[in-house]
């Protein structure tokens, strides 16, 4: 089980990993930052990109923030970073 710090930029033109933002991974999402749409889009994006079921992804902190802490069951932090960056 690995955890990732993620910095989300909502309202982007396309969904993509941009790189690093300090110790976090910066991800741009098309979804707006309203009514948890960006959170749902982030979980869907990570599930597709990491090839894991959405149920294995848990948003631990940052439900109303751009800075989020996400836990992904079944993969180490090193493996997560390798697959995303």
């Amino acid at each position: 089980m690995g955890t990732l710090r993620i910095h989300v930029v909502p309202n982007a033109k396309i969904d993509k990993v941009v790189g690093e933002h300090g110790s976090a991974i910066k991800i741009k999402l098309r979804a707006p930052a309203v009514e948890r749409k960006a959170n749902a889009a982030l979980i869907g994006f990570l599930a597709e990109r990491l090839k894991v079921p959405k149920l294995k992804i848990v948003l631990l902190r940052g439900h109303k923030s751009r800075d989020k802490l996400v836990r992904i069951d079944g993969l180490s932090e090193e493996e997560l970073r390798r697959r995303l960056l």
Side-chain angles (χ1 to χ4, degrees), residues 13-29:
K13 291 185 179 176
I14 60 170
D15 295 340
K16 69 176 181 173
V17 175
V18 183
E20 296 190 79
H21 180 82
S23 64
I25 294 175
K26 187 174 183 179
I27 298 177
K28 289 187 174 184
L29 297 171

Side-chain angles (χ1 to χ4, degrees), residues 13-76:
K13 291 185 179 176
I14 60 170
D15 295 340
K16 69 176 181 173
V17 175
V18 183
E20 296 190 79
H21 180 82
S23 64
I25 294 175
K26 187 174 183 179
I27 298 177
K28 289 187 174 184
L29 297 171
R30 290 178 299 196
V34 293
E35 298 174 14
R36 301 187 189 111
K37 287 184 182 180
N39 290 340
L42 174 64
I43 289 171
F45 175 78
L46 289 173
E48 185 177 314
R49 184 77 184 257
L50 297 169
K51 295 177 177 40
V52 298
K54 288 181 186 177
L55 294 174
K56 296 226 178 229
I57 300 172
V58 180
L59 182 57
L60 298 174
R61 275 201 323 248
H63 291 84
K64 294 183 178 180
S65 168
R66 288 181 180 214
D67 295 311
K68 302 183 183 300
L69 184 64
V70 179
R71 184 184 80 217
I72 295 110
D73 296 332
L75 295 172
S76 68

